[in-house]
Amino acid sequence: IMDSIKNSLNNSDITILTGGLGPTNDDITKNCLNDYFEGKLIPHEETLKHIKKIFSKRNLDFTTKNKNQALVPDTCKVLHNKFGTAPE
């Protein structure tokens, strides 16, 4: 992931990163972004509200793992994902 970020930023005017593995314990995407851009994870309230709404509508339990999907690097611009729970 770090090599891809470095390569993209060195060869492009703009870089858009999306993805990761979702609400899993082994997704290192956000941590790599924080390391590269010297940032930290912060809650994104709009995303958190959106995730809670989806879980409530589907009558699903809302877990810490789901809440953590709303944690984003403080150095990023969040793009709203209206179809799922993970911000882009």
Side-chain angles (χ1 to χ4, degrees), residues 16-88:
I16 298 173
L17 302 168
T18 65
L21 299 175
T24 63
N25 295 326
D26 58 349
D27 184 359
I28 61 169
T29 307
K30 293 178 191 179
N31 292 331
C32 287
L33 291 172
N34 284 331
D35 289 346
Y36 189 87
F37 292 106
E38 300 177 358
K40 64 182 179 187
L41 290 178
I42 59 168
H44 187 256
E45 293 302 321
E46 181 182 335
T47 298
L48 183 59
K49 288 177 189 175
H50 173 71
I51 295 169
K52 285 181 176 180
K53 182 178 174 183
I54 288 173
F55 275 75
S56 176
K57 187 176 181 179
R58 295 178 183 170
N59 200 26
L60 297 171
D61 291 335
F62 185 74
T63 67
T64 299
K65 192 180 286 189
N66 304 119
K67 180 180 178 182
N68 288 344
Q69 284 187 279
L71 294 175
V72 300
D74 63 347
T75 56
C76 77
K77 176 173 174 61
V78 176
L79 303 176
H80 179 64
N81 175 2
K82 65 181 179 179
F83 298 109
T85 57
E88 299 182 26

